Amino acid sequence: MRLALGKTLAALAICGTLVQHIPARSATPTPVQQHQRENASSDKDAAKTYQYIRQLISKDQAAEALAALERINEQHSSEYFFLKGRAQQELRLNTDALASYSVAIYLDPSSNKARINRALVRGALQDLQGAIAEFSAVLKSQPNHTEALLNRGVTHASLNQPDAAIQDFKRALSIQPTYGAAYLNLGLVYHLKGKRTDACKQWRLASRYGERDASTWVLELCSPSERRVKQ
């Protein structure tokens, strides 16, 4: 997420390897064996469908993803509601996405990917304090979660709390020194504080680590001497 654009982060889709129990063959399956086989088949089908839905979302086909989700028989897992929230989020159905992520978290309280996306939706709905609380909850369980630090920093900056934002960006960079988005946003906060030289240094580093916008800002806003970063 960036201060300048408010860009929504892509979801962290975690594709676990399906492990299924295959009972020993028998001429006539017992009721327990039959139930296990049906569950294994259902789980395998759901895993394939979820992977397909992730691909649709990644290709900006959120409406198609949402329609595919509605055709799934198994609609009671945390992953189902997470993906539903992702599709709704892409379609700017923020209130619906908030509800879907809330169900995903209820079904799996450890789902930090759902909590981060719910925080982003809260931000889109201008509930910035709620977003801060969500990111902080993620960081309580995963103190080195750089995306949570980045987005909490952006939210602090949006609340006119630049020092708290700088602290989060620097902490993210201490964990991941090549995090271009953190350099980019740190530079933006320095720029807002009137510290152009510091801002230009961060933008040069952001450009080095893949943030294209930073190169434009360096050329347009920085002096020739400020365009150079000491190695």
Side-chain angles (χ1 to χ4, degrees):
M1 194 161 107
R2 302 175 183 179
L3 283 173
L5 303 177
K7 183 178 179 181
T8 301
L9 291 175
L12 305 175
I14 299 174
C15 306
T17 301
L18 180 66
V19 178
Q20 60 180 357
H21 171 68
I22 303 177
R25 290 186 178 181
S26 61
T28 304
T30 67
V32 171
Q33 290 174 329
Q34 184 64 30
H35 181 67
Q36 288 173 333
R37 291 178 183 179
E38 290 173 355
N39 282 348
S41 177
S42 176
D43 289 346
K44 187 174 182 180
D45 290 343
K48 289 181 178 179
T49 302
Y50 288 157
Q51 181 61 29
Y52 169 66
I53 290 167
R54 292 187 195 101
Q55 292 172 354
L56 288 176
I57 294 172
S58 70
K59 295 176 181 178
D60 297 324
Q61 299 177 30
E64 291 85 346
L66 199 57
L69 281 163
E70 295 301 327
R71 294 193 294 269
I72 295 179
N73 292 326
E74 187 258 327
Q75 299 183 2
H76 55 268
S77 71
S78 177
E79 186 67 8
Y80 171 85
F81 285 101
F82 171 77
L83 291 172
K84 187 173 184 178
R86 280 291 298 120
Q88 291 164 334
Q89 187 177 8
E90 290 298 316
L91 294 169
R92 302 294 187 269
L93 302 173
N94 290 320
T95 302
D96 292 338
L98 186 69
S100 293
Y101 287 136
S102 295
V103 176
I105 293 166
Y106 173 79
L107 293 171
D108 180 9
S110 68
S111 179
N112 279 337
K113 63 181 184 180
R115 199 174 294 279
I116 285 178
N117 281 7
R118 187 169 72 172
L120 292 169
V121 172
R122 289 192 189 281
L125 293 171
Q126 299 303 308
D127 179 13
L128 299 183
Q129 293 292 351
I132 291 284
E134 296 272 19
F135 292 130
S136 296
V138 172
L139 290 165
K140 185 175 181 179
S141 64
Q142 289 184 264
N144 292 337
H145 200 302
T146 53
E147 288 180 348
L149 285 166
L150 174 75
N151 285 287
R152 190 174 71 174
V154 170
T155 310
H156 276 308
S158 299
L159 288 167
N160 196 28
Q161 299 169 352
D163 292 339
I166 289 170
Q167 183 177 354
D168 276 345
F169 296 145
K170 286 186 173 180
R171 183 174 160 194
L173 288 167
S174 72
I175 299 164
Q176 186 178 335
T178 60
Y179 199 178
Y183 287 115
L184 181 75
N185 283 296
L186 181 56
L188 284 167
V189 173
Y190 280 141
H191 180 67
L192 293 172
K193 287 172 69 71
K195 297 183 176 182
R196 193 181 71 177
T197 299
D198 290 335
C200 292
K201 179 179 180 180
Q202 301 307 317
W203 290 338
R204 283 287 295 154
L205 289 165
S207 177
R208 178 184 299 173
Y209 295 119
E211 293 292 333
R212 296 180 180 179
D213 290 343
S215 298
T216 301
W217 298 341
V218 168
L219 290 173
E220 293 180 353
L221 300 173
C222 304
S223 69
S225 63
E226 291 169 337
R227 294 171 192 167
R228 295 189 292 271
V229 179
K230 294 181 181 180
Q231 300 298 323

